[in-house]
Amino acid sequence: MATKEASTIDDGIVEPGIEPGASAETMLVTTDSFEEYEQEMSSSIDDRHMKESTTSTISEIQEDVQDIPATSTKTSPRDLQKTAPVYDSEIEDATHQLGQSSLDSDPLRCKKWLAQRKHIFILSQAGKPIYSRYSSEDKLVTVMGVMQALVSFVQAGSDMIRSVHAGDTNFVFVVKGPLILVAVSKTLESVPQLTLQLTYVYNQIVSVLTQSQLIGVYDRRRNFDLRRLLSGSERLIDHLLNFMDREPAFFLGAIKCLPLFPSMRSSITQTIIQTCCKIKNLVFAILLANNQLVTLVRMNKFFLHPADLHIIQNLVDSSESLKTAESWTPICLPKFDANGYMHGHVSYLAMDCQACLLLLTVDRNVFFLLSEARQKIVEKLRRTNCFEAINESMYNSPITTADIGLPKMRHVLYKCRSTAQFWSPELQPPYTTDKEKERLLGLYQCLHHRLHAPNLPLKLIFQQLDKETMLAWVTVGFELYATFEPLVTKPDAIEAVNKLLKWIKKEEERLFILNSPTF
């Protein structure tokens, strides 16, 4: 693809003085996503160097509410590790073996496997296969053995491997506790973005087992086959990887809200608060619709990290069985407390309103109490016409940039940094096929990486490609990634962005949640 030289813009654009969606209140932990990527890259946890404390978030809640002694522990990451040198001949030899390993006796299947653009592997530090995104992990023992050898070789030199680059392929490694996670990718995603995806996969495993249980089973038996404990949970990892391949929420580190009139969102929120305020051990009440947040009510003092909410969204979206009955599900939220379970009452509101309500508590014995509360919430939401409002927002055609009066702007991602929420319009031609959607997401990921590059972060980028013109802009208050027709000029793009910001500001109460309701 031929491109003109991308350039930063220091002239012709003025800070708008508005931050659409900004709020002094927030229900989510707000962090800079790329800073977290760097932390994940430099602080992978080795089980031999685990440091334990005597407190945990869940234990703290239990002590405050029920006066229950603390029983779980929290783990702090290792000290900073250096980047592994990739020029050593032994590493190069191992990488060559990794690319040439025989995967299956059937050459047609082998070709199909090799044609995949991104592979994800999980193995233990003893080299035992745990998961492969494509094909059975039992057929990849040789490949995973080479991966384990690479990690061990670098660790033997008191170092840690992060990535190896071979042609158009990136091999990215994350070592956490007893697990080694590896991405082999030919996509446009950067090493930090692939590192984040591997971290999400690790967090998905922790959400099922807890970190303390994961570490414990390998402390007792180094060659333990983790698939015994993860049986049935592979679908969660599969779905999460597909989810990350199509959703910008993950690399943005943000949540998208279901657009609702403020009065209607307030009515839904107040119904939950009034019904649940006397359930003392309830920590979070979350209502989701179409993978978008309708409302979130939290226990005072405690906040939810976007990464934990993404894990919850993945659980809901990947589990069709939740639509047919109320479910009582233990779930660990790794950013909230990696070493303890919360218990979730999970149910859809009704057959005629496919929004999912999650009531998360630290008390495992309150299913029936939460079931009664859920029934009261459903009855009141139906009486106050909230079902109709949710359905209208879920099923009506979403707004496009053309509807806003921006015909030359094809698409945009807007993130409010103070609330960790983002908004995007409906995709329109040419970004309606799976291939074009993937290509557009890859372009956004490239821009995101360049804006947040640790060594040379940029404030604003204007880039003209063969098929579109891209503009990316980061300020203290927001991040914006816009796609235009290919012949749009720099002044026209800037004018369109300023018009868009004014429109988002006007609609911010409908597009974002600007308060932080508590029980």
Side-chain angles (χ1 to χ4, degrees):
M1 179 186 298
T3 68
K4 295 183 180 179
E5 180 66 19
S7 60
T8 60
I9 304 175
D10 294 319
D11 58 322
I13 192 162
V14 180
E15 293 285 345
I18 57 173
E19 296 172 5
S23 175
E25 298 182 56
T26 182
M27 61 203 166
L28 300 170
V29 177
T30 56
T31 60
D32 183 274
S33 53
F34 252 56
E35 287 182 3
E36 288 205 351
Y37 301 168
E38 284 299 299
Q39 290 171 9
E40 294 294 353
M41 291 175 71
S42 62
S43 62
S44 296
I45 303 171
D46 187 321
D47 56 320
R48 293 169 298 175
H49 294 78
M50 296 284 287
K51 295 179 181 179
E52 297 184 350
S53 69
T54 57
T55 62
S56 77
T57 305
I58 289 177
S59 295
E60 180 183 343
I61 296 172
Q62 290 173 330
E63 287 176 340
D64 287 346
V65 176
Q66 299 174 308
D67 198 28
I68 295 178
T71 58
S72 62
T73 60
K74 195 171 267 189
T75 305
S76 59
R78 288 185 67 175
D79 292 334
L80 185 68
Q81 297 286 346
K82 298 179 182 178
T83 303
V86 299
Y87 304 108
D88 192 286
S89 59
E90 293 187 52
I91 293 185
E92 291 179 354
D93 290 343
T95 304
H96 179 74
Q97 293 176 36
L98 186 58
Q100 298 298 320
S101 296
S102 175
L103 304 173
D104 196 281
S105 57
D106 184 348
L108 294 178
R109 289 189 64 186
C110 184
K111 287 181 180 179
K112 183 178 178 181
W113 191 90
L114 289 170
Q116 300 293 342
R117 298 186 66 224
K118 181 167 63 179
H119 292 270
I120 302 294
F121 307 97
I122 308 173
L123 57 149
S124 71
Q125 290 229 31
K128 203 165 188 71
I130 297 171
Y131 172 87
S132 170
R133 186 178 188 182
Y134 304 107
S135 186
S136 168
E137 60 275 359
D138 286 329
K139 297 178 180 179
L140 302 171
V141 174
T142 303
V143 175
M144 295 196 186
V146 176
M147 294 174 179
Q148 191 271 341
L150 276 167
V151 171
S152 297
F153 172 77
V154 176
Q155 284 182 338
S158 300
D159 214 333
M160 182 172 290
I161 189 168
R162 289 184 175 181
S163 63
V164 178
H165 309 277
D168 63 349
T169 304
N170 287 329
F171 299 80
V172 178
F173 296 78
V174 168
V175 182
K176 278 187 170 290
L179 302 187
I180 299 170
L181 302 98
V182 185
V184 182
S185 173
K186 296 182 180 180
T187 67
L188 296 176
E189 294 156 316
S190 66
V191 170
Q193 289 164 348
L194 291 168
T195 299
L196 176 74
Q197 292 179 21
L198 293 176
T199 303
Y200 265 104
V201 173
Y202 174 79
N203 286 345
Q204 183 65 71
I205 293 173
V206 169
S207 76
V208 175
L209 301 179
T210 76
Q211 185 169 270
S212 54
Q213 182 180 358
L214 177 64
I215 299 299
V217 295
Y218 282 103
D219 279 346
R220 292 189 293 272
R221 185 178 171 188
R222 188 171 181 268
N223 289 318
F224 182 79
D225 188 349
L226 195 65
R227 291 175 295 182
R228 292 164 51 188
L229 292 180
L230 290 177
S231 177
S233 300
E234 298 89 347
R235 65 176 178 80
L236 292 173
I237 301 175
D238 290 339
H239 189 276
L240 178 66
L241 292 170
N242 293 331
F243 203 5
M244 288 190 288
D245 281 346
R246 68 176 188 268
E247 271 294 329
F250 292 90
F251 72 82
L252 289 176
I255 297 297
K256 188 173 185 180
C257 298
L258 186 75
L260 284 173
F261 288 112
S263 58
M264 191 56 65
R265 197 186 307 273
S266 177
S267 178
I268 296 169
T269 302
Q270 289 304 312
T271 295
I272 294 174
I273 292 174
Q274 292 166 9
T275 306
C276 299
C277 62
K278 294 184 180 179
I279 305 176
K280 295 181 180 179
N281 47 13
L282 188 63
V283 186
F284 297 112
I286 305 164
L287 186 60
L288 300 171
N290 276 356
N291 283 320
Q292 298 173 86
L293 183 63
V294 178
T295 191
L296 189 161
V297 186
R298 60 184 180 83
M299 180 183 286
N300 196 25
K301 297 193 304 182
F302 297 101
F303 298 87
L304 196 59
H305 195 286
D308 284 341
L309 193 46
H310 292 153
I311 292 292
I312 292 170
Q313 287 177 313
N314 186 60
L315 170 68
V316 171
D317 197 49
S318 63
S319 306
E320 286 293 319
S321 60
L322 296 176
K323 295 182 178 180
T324 59
E326 297 177 40
S327 174
W328 187 237
T329 304
I331 182 171
C332 172
L333 301 179
K335 292 287 188 179
F336 186 75
D337 187 339
N339 296 305
Y341 284 115
M342 300 186 77
H343 302 274
H345 182 281
V346 187
S347 64
Y348 281 76
L349 294 182
M351 291 297 293
D352 59 334
C353 186
Q354 291 292 287
C356 186
L357 177 66
L358 300 98
L359 304 174
L360 302 182
T361 177
V362 295
D363 189 344
R364 69 179 66 188
N365 301 311
V366 292
F367 172 84
F368 294 106
L369 179 62
L370 295 181
S371 181
E372 291 175 8
R374 176 256 180 200
Q375 187 59 37
K376 292 177 182 177
I377 290 170
V378 168
E379 291 171 358
K380 188 166 183 179
L381 292 181
R382 188 180 292 279
R383 287 198 309 268
T384 53
N385 299 319
C386 292
F387 280 12
E388 288 83 351
I390 293 172
N391 285 335
E392 182 178 355
S393 184
M394 286 175 66
Y395 300 119
N396 281 5
S397 297
I399 197 167
T400 66
T401 50
D403 297 327
I404 304 172
L406 300 168
K408 294 183 180 181
M409 182 184 288
R410 294 175 174 175
H411 191 255
V412 67
L413 300 177
Y414 172 86
K415 173 188 173 182
C416 179
R417 303 181 76 182
S418 68
T419 58
Q421 298 173 38
F422 82 100
W423 173 82
S424 62
E426 176 79 344
L427 287 167
Q428 52 189 337
Y431 311 113
T432 51
T433 66
D434 289 343
K435 183 177 180 180
E436 284 298 307
K437 289 176 183 177
E438 181 183 351
R439 189 176 68 83
L440 178 63
L441 186 65
L443 293 174
Y444 283 145
Q445 288 171 321
C446 288
L447 291 173
H448 183 268
H449 174 65
R450 294 185 63 191
L451 286 185
H452 296 272
N455 298 328
L456 186 63
L458 302 176
K459 177 181 178 182
L460 201 145
I461 301 168
F462 182 82
Q463 187 172 28
Q464 291 183 303
L465 309 175
D466 282 346
K467 296 182 179 181
E468 55 269 297
T469 292
M470 312 291 293
L471 186 148
W473 186 17
V474 60
T475 73
V476 174
F478 63 82
E479 296 177 26
L480 185 144
Y481 308 85
T483 307
F484 297 89
E485 297 289 336
L487 299 180
V488 165
T489 64
K490 188 184 302 183
D492 286 345
I494 293 169
E495 181 182 355
V497 165
N498 286 327
K499 184 175 181 180
L500 173 74
L501 291 173
K502 291 177 182 177
W503 180 86
I504 298 176
K505 183 65 177 179
K506 180 182 177 182
E507 299 288 330
E508 64 180 356
E509 292 186 346
R510 188 174 65 87
L511 303 177
F512 303 100
I513 300 175
L514 301 181
N515 58 357
S516 183
T518 59
F519 295 114

